């Protein structure tokens, strides 16, 4: 029997729908993949990248409150998130500073480095 993704603390219907679009049908599959790989699948199937969503997923799979991510742990997750976003978007490296903000609001055209 499969368990709904939304049965995991702090993950609701929107995450469950994003997981379903990414081929992650249940909580068991999500736990097996892990937060990083699951989020990569979600990005590749149209989920908009948001760092908070990324670390909430990590905290949820650890059974921790969504806002429990702090300090070095949060900094490390940010670096992994940025690298994942760069990988998914096809950029050779993560954007930083103002470029990251402009990219997030859609001002910088997504391109493939080649």
């Amino acid at each position: 029997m499969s368990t709904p993704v939304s049965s995991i603390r702090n993950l609701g219907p929107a995450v469950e729908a994003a997981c379903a679009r990414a081929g992650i049908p249940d909580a068991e599959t999500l736990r097996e993949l892990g937060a990083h790989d699951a989020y990569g699948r979600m990005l590749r199937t149209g989920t908009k990248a948001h760092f908070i969503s990324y670390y909430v997923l990590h905290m949820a799979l650890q059974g921790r409150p969504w806002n429990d991510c702090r300090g070095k742990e949060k900094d490390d997750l940010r670096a992994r998130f940025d690298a994942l976003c760069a990988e998914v978007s096809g950029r050779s490296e993560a954007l930083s500073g103002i470029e990251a903000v402009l990219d997030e609001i859609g001002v910088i055209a997504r391109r493939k480095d080649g």
Side-chain angles (χ1 to χ4, degrees):
M1 183 171 149
S2 64
T3 309
V5 168
S6 60
S7 70
I8 299 172
R9 179 182 178 182
N10 295 318
L11 301 184
V15 173
E16 189 166 77
C19 284
R21 282 191 305 274
I24 305 167
D26 52 42
E28 292 80 9
T29 305
L30 178 58
R31 289 182 196 286
E32 184 179 309
L33 284 170
H36 185 81
D37 289 341
Y39 202 79
R41 283 188 181 196
M42 292 163 65
L43 292 177
R44 288 178 181 92
T45 55
T47 296
K48 185 160 174 53
H50 290 285
F51 177 56
I52 293 172
S53 299
Y54 179 77
Y55 77 71
V56 165
L57 188 56
H58 277 271
M59 298 298 100
L61 291 182
Q62 294 175 32
R64 295 166 58 190
W66 72 269
N67 58 353
D68 196 35
C69 188
R70 296 186 183 99
K72 179 170 175 16
E73 179 182 31
K74 192 171 188 177
D75 293 343
D76 291 347
L77 284 175
R78 182 64 202 217
R80 292 185 69 205
F81 171 79
D82 289 344
L84 180 62
C85 290
E87 174 190 325
V88 168
S89 70
R91 290 191 300 264
S92 60
E93 60 186 49
L95 297 176
S96 62
I98 189 69
E99 287 181 327
V101 173
L102 293 173
D103 180 57
E104 186 169 325
I105 63 173
V107 176
I108 293 177
R110 300 213 181 252
R111 60 177 164 65
K112 299 263 185 197
D113 288 346

